[in-house]
Amino acid sequence: MSNPLLHPFDTAFQSVPFEQIQQEHFKPAMLEWISRAKTEIADLVDNEAAPDFANTIAALERVGKQLDVVSSTFFNLDSAETTDYLQQLAQELSPLLAEYNNDLMLNEALFRRVKHVVEHTDRSALTAEENRLLDKTYKSFVRNGALLSEAEKTQLRDIDQQLATLTMKFSQHVLQETNAYQLHIEQEADLAGLPDSIVGAARAEAEKRGMSGWVFTLHFPSFMPFMKYAANRDLRKAMQLAAGKRAFKDNENNNEEVIRTIVDLRAKRAKLLGFDTHAEFVLQERMAATPDTVFDFLHDLLQKARPHAQQEIAALQALAAADGITQIMPYDHAYYAEKLREARFDLSEEALKPYFPLDRVLDAAFDAANRLYGLTFSERNDIQKYHPEVTVYEVTEQGSHKALLYTDWHPREGKRAGAWMTAYRGQYRDNEQNIRPHISIVCNFARPVGDTPSLLTFTEVTTLFHEFGHALHGMLADTTFESLSGTNVYWDFVELPSQFMENYCYDKAFLRSFAKHFQTGEPLPETEIDKIVAAANFMEGYQTLRQLGFGLLDMAYHTGKLADGTSIETFETETVRDAQLYAHLPGTAQSPSFSHIFAGGYSAGYYSYKWAEVLDADAFSYFQENGIFDPETAAKFKDLLRLGGTVDPMELYVRFRGRKPDPQALLKRAGLV
């Protein structure tokens, strides 16, 4: 069979021909497209015409488009449907792609052309988007070593190749550790407190593994309900310890040295480029701008949230004391928080699940997008997909094709934990043609069991809306240049569209429209809707502290605070001490499985979740003033999504809101003032 990755795809909408692709196709295809991209670069450099925006900056933007699609396809599959072969290949291909990027960014002749355009172009003759791309292109070269000496460039290449391998290794270790653990229960008494649906899923998992009894795993749909409902404290402790020891045991998947090396290499890279720390390097291209700004932001929120969190934990301790527990521990938190929720609001996440079948929640998200932005979603059975559980939708606006959306909802051994949005192809314009994006949402929601469909907790409802917000950012993109399109914005701005969509889950009228029992169709009782809204800030102080702890840990790693002789466990516990209200469990650490900062794009950027909450709370308050589906307000927000990174994010926000964001909106929503 010929390699389908070696030529542009001839499928519907040029979608990825997943069903024709074999694992062995990726390496030769990647090597071929790298070679062709290098030829395109050589042709660009050899152009005898004087460098200008069109023949240099815009031409460079077009280089390697098919390489981007093939590499995105490969790494997306490695996250959502990996195999041992793909994991091994990722270790091989990541350094090759890093080398290609270095060849591009350290090409002196190419940089001279870019520099010439910067220095000799009449900026008034360019559009605002073209000016933005020109600045971004020049900065990209400088931030990737174009001004370094030859010896320094060689050093940079070596660092980038090592980082490409190590970040991939980190992620693979976490996945392997997650898949390796199982809690096998054979005594029915040990299931006390667990809802029937969770017990049924555990029995199905055991049967799948050829075992009797019940099996629970570290995958979220299994782990979280167990921690929330299992009455057996010893088993909760076992699960908590297993989660805290992922990639932190004395075996081949230990990530401690991987972390040290990644942190060290990032620091060396930053210093090579003229920055004191990796955080300074990263934040130069963020709204926050400096580490001091981030630390001030985190500590200010910490000061406001900690008293609320302390009161919340005291309430949990009082509940635990009634069970004879003198000191509440991390493995007690979810269990007693759920009991407190039920006592305070008479609200049970498990009791709500029958009203949130996955398909209906997704339809509600589609409905919101239709009412806000005029988008329509139609399932397509003629688009190839990488797994039978994936569904593909064509997205249209007034009958015109807008995007493809892939959805992949359930955990598998080949899928990493968590939830994310990604793209197989971004949006851009090629001459007169508007190339539309192919977007994917990947989650880990519980599978259907027997005749019962996949039922979501309310937390998972908000997760779906969160990722759908990211997807809308990608699907509504409408710019000329792909590198400025969709989610290609400052990292502390990228969470605004996603967190904004979560607000709709707490609107009573909108909830009424879709929260209906999967069997009877009966609407969720009004009393329960009132409870959901009343409980919106439940444990918000604790959750805020938890997020701030992650942000502080991230910043500590990337501002040079990890000393050579300090263990990862000690460093972590000392760093997050002010944000931690529970005793530490010896032998556990978050860092070895903290994929966001060591294998994702959030290094020196985890704070952005809270930063963007300021934006989303303020943005949604504007909708509330005018009506949450107000056409005029929605049109303004759609413009914010449409323009991606073509405008400075603060300017973009002010265009939408009429002023800069007001932090009080977040504090009020969170009940912290």
Side-chain angles (χ1 to χ4, degrees), residues 53 57 117-118 121-138 481 484 646:
F53 182 88
I57 307 302
V117 178
V118 170
T121 296
D122 176 8
R123 291 297 191 104
S124 65
L126 300 180
T127 66
E129 184 176 345
E130 289 170 340
N131 272 299
R132 188 86 172 164
L133 181 65
L134 178 55
D135 289 337
K136 181 175 182 177
T137 303
Y138 180 76
F481 305 113
L484 298 174
T646 62

Side-chain angles (χ1 to χ4, degrees), residues 319-586:
L319 273 182
D323 290 341
I325 296 173
T326 56
Q327 183 184 13
I328 191 169
M329 296 295 287
Y331 45 85
D332 298 316
H333 177 84
Y335 181 75
Y336 285 104
E338 185 61 19
K339 284 188 175 298
L340 183 62
R341 186 204 309 271
E342 293 179 16
R344 187 172 290 177
F345 302 102
D346 189 25
L347 183 67
S348 163
E349 280 252 37
E350 190 64 23
L352 292 177
K353 283 173 63 175
Y355 294 91
F356 296 117
L358 171 57
D359 288 349
R360 190 172 291 137
V361 176
L362 181 60
D363 285 343
F366 288 168
D367 177 57
N370 181 262
R371 295 169 69 182
L372 286 166
Y373 312 123
L375 300 181
T376 301
F377 298 78
S378 305
E379 184 174 346
R380 293 288 299 249
N381 294 313
D382 58 333
I383 306 293
Q384 295 184 34
K385 49 196 184 182
Y386 58 86
H387 191 277
E389 290 180 338
V390 174
T391 303
V392 189
Y393 300 89
E394 182 186 3
V395 187
T396 57
E397 183 179 8
Q398 296 180 337
S400 177
H401 176 74
K402 199 74 175 174
L404 290 181
L405 174 65
Y406 297 78
T407 61
D408 182 358
W409 300 121
H410 307 303
R412 296 184 295 272
E413 286 192 1
K415 182 193 286 190
R416 67 177 171 89
W420 63 94
M421 164 266 181
T422 187
Y424 288 93
R425 183 176 81 180
Q427 179 273 330
Y428 61 96
R429 283 187 173 80
D430 185 10
N431 296 319
E432 297 302 312
Q433 188 178 9
N434 193 336
I435 306 298
R436 299 309 305 169
H438 299 167
I439 305 298
S440 177
I441 298 175
V442 187
C443 294
N444 279 277
F445 301 145
R447 273 195 183 77
V449 178
D451 295 330
T452 303
S454 176
L455 301 175
L456 306 188
T457 65
F458 187 73
T459 300
E460 290 172 328
V461 172
T462 62
T463 296
L464 188 151
F465 271 75
H466 179 103
E467 300 307 333
F468 188 64
H470 281 310
L472 286 169
H473 203 180
M475 293 185 291
L476 288 168
D478 192 16
T479 65
T480 301
F481 305 113
E482 185 175 3
S483 64
L484 298 174
S485 175
T487 57
N488 289 309
V489 297
Y490 280 2
W491 211 254
D492 44 12
F493 192 69
V494 79
E495 294 296 335
L496 165 61
S498 54
Q499 292 176 180
F500 169 79
M501 284 304 296
E502 291 184 42
N503 290 283
Y504 282 83
C505 302
Y506 295 95
D507 181 80
K508 290 183 180 181
F510 186 61
L511 265 177
R512 288 187 204 106
S513 72
F514 71 93
K516 298 174 183 177
H517 198 282
F518 78 97
Q519 289 173 315
T520 67
E522 287 295 311
L524 183 64
E526 196 68 22
T527 53
E528 297 300 299
I529 291 178
D530 290 341
K531 292 173 190 175
I532 288 173
V533 175
N537 292 332
F538 179 65
M539 301 303 296
E540 184 65 29
Y542 170 80
Q543 292 299 337
T544 297
L545 239 63
R546 185 171 180 270
Q547 287 294 92
L548 295 175
F550 290 152
L552 289 168
L553 182 60
D554 170 32
M555 290 299 293
Y557 275 120
H558 294 114
T559 51
K561 292 181 170 55
L562 176 62
D564 286 344
T566 305
S567 72
I568 295 296
E569 183 177 359
T570 299
F571 175 75
E572 180 177 309
T573 53
E574 291 180 352
T575 298
V576 302
R577 189 180 307 280
D578 289 344
Q580 180 59 262
L581 296 178
Y582 288 117
H584 172 66
L585 292 175

Side-chain angles (χ1 to χ4, degrees), residues 101-119:
N101 186 65
N102 285 142
D103 287 343
L104 174 65
M105 289 295 159
L106 300 177
N107 186 315
E108 290 187 23
L110 180 58
F111 179 59
R112 281 197 298 271
R113 290 187 68 92
V114 171
K115 193 167 182 286
H116 183 278
V117 178
V118 170
E119 294 173 346

